[in-house]
Amino acid sequence: MKELEEAVAWLRERTSLSPRVGVVLGSGLGGFASRLTDRLEIPYETIPHWPVSTAEGHAGRLILGRLGELPVAVMAGRVHLYEGYRPDQVVFGVRVLGRLGARALVLTNAAGGINPAFQRGLLVLISDHINLQGANPLVGPNEESLGPRFPDMTEAYSIRLRQIARETAAELGIPVAEGVYAAMLGPSYETPAEIRFLRIIGADLVGMSTVPEVIAARHMGLSVLAISCVTNMAAGLAPGPLSHREVLETGEMVRDRLSRLLEALLPRIAAEVAGS
Ligand code: HPA
């Protein structure tokens, strides 16, 4: 993949840092990156072939730096299928992180809560997904240098990394739940009937991101942890309409909690996947 190799070569000319863990920060969830030292912040638009996000709340920077000793790469902002990007563009950044050396990927997102036991502001570890986006980043000729034609998705979300996340959250006194994430194309929010359907088929959360990135990361053999922030209860489950403003406001509310969790979590994840 020429574009991928060009972006990786461009970054390698600017830094010798080889991230062990990659992080993707979702809507309104940026902020964690400021905890890194020796930071190199690169606006997406300067990186060859890197797609630039248009959604409000997505800053659009790649940050390379260290958390203590640990080399980390953080994507602050992502692009979505609903912006009109092709699936391979949506996963471009994740593939770059994999090529730079990341062995694990931690994704965060804003999601609507479908499980009635959830509430606004709760952090939920994604245990599995249902892809209803009608797209898959692996469609087309398989790039053998990235991974196999038919990658397994039985344990897309590492059981071990979820266990480490639960333990770390408990130590920090941060409540976390687990649930299944349904990925919709968007950009319109779901109807109440769609949310009832998603509940029946086993979804606890709904969102418009993350799943293409998880598929691309698993294709490359990376271990994945994904954390949703319930920014709102899904359509029909709370009075009144949904708004992007509410999503961003809740994101701001939990940003510090999420940053504290990530800071404690990443070294443990790196230790877990070392040698993999
Ligand atoms: N639906 C889809 N995506 C979302 C939602 C939602 O309710 N909240 C945040 N992202």
Side-chain angles (χ1 to χ4, degrees):
M1 274 190 133
K2 197 168 131 289
E3 287 87 1
L4 185 57
E5 306 316 330
E6 283 176 5
V8 170
W10 188 93
L11 287 164
R12 287 231 165 98
E13 279 168 22
R14 281 154 185 84
T15 175
S16 58
L17 188 131
S18 178
R20 307 308 299 158
V21 182
V23 179
V24 181
L25 300 175
S27 298
L29 300 173
F32 165 71
S34 64
R35 302 192 178 213
L36 303 185
T37 55
D38 297 337
R39 268 200 318 271
L40 177 63
E41 303 208 6
I42 310 167
Y44 288 157
E45 62 267 25
T46 63
I47 308 172
H49 312 294
W50 197 295
V52 176
S53 49
T54 57
E56 187 193 345
H58 292 256
R61 281 170 300 138
L62 174 65
I63 299 113
L64 295 153
R66 287 181 189 279
L67 193 62
E69 289 298 296
L70 180 70
V72 175
V74 177
M75 286 171 56
R78 52 154 64 92
V79 297
H80 305 80
L81 289 170
Y82 65 69
E83 294 175 77
Y85 290 103
R86 299 186 311 269
D88 63 295
Q89 292 177 300
V90 170
V91 302
F92 187 80
V94 161
R95 283 177 167 160
V96 169
L97 299 192
R99 274 284 203 259
L100 285 175
R103 298 309 307 142
L105 183 68
V106 180
L107 300 130
T108 67
N109 63 43
I114 298 177
N115 186 324
F118 293 173
Q119 67 263 316
R120 248 185 103 179
L122 181 66
L123 298 178
V124 182
L125 309 176
I126 299 180
S127 58
D128 205 344
H129 72 227
I130 302 173
N131 182 8
L132 297 171
Q133 294 192 311
N136 188 303
L138 308 184
V139 168
N142 186 51
E143 187 62 46
E144 291 292 330
S145 68
L146 292 175
R149 172 75 289 188
F150 299 110
D152 177 53
M153 290 289 145
T154 308
E155 196 188 319
Y157 301 82
S158 163
I159 293 172
R160 183 67 192 127
L161 295 193
R162 268 185 279 148
Q163 187 183 353
I164 292 171
R166 271 197 310 273
E167 288 165 6
T168 308
E171 286 169 27
L172 296 174
I174 298 174
V176 290
E178 287 206 20
V180 173
Y181 177 92
M184 304 292 277
L185 179 59
S188 52
Y189 289 117
E190 301 70 34
T191 63
E194 286 168 340
I195 295 301
R196 289 193 296 273
F197 162 75
L198 294 177
R199 181 74 196 138
I200 288 166
I201 65 170
D204 298 294
L205 301 155
V206 59
M208 305 172 193
S209 68
T210 306
V211 162
E213 293 144 300
V214 170
I215 292 171
R218 294 300 298 143
H219 184 229
M220 296 180 88
L222 275 67
S223 296
V224 169
L225 177 74
I227 307 173
S228 282
C229 165
V230 177
T231 52
N232 57 283
M233 287 311 283
L237 299 184
L242 271 53
S243 77
H244 187 50
R245 178 94 356 246
E246 179 185 12
V247 169
L248 293 182
E249 279 171 12
T250 316
E252 267 166 42
M253 258 163 52
V254 301
R255 204 158 51 189
D256 280 348
R257 207 185 311 155
L258 183 65
S259 294
R260 279 196 294 129
L261 180 59
L262 289 175
E263 185 167 6
L265 202 47
L266 295 192
R268 298 182 190 191
I269 288 176
E272 177 65 26
V273 299
S276 74

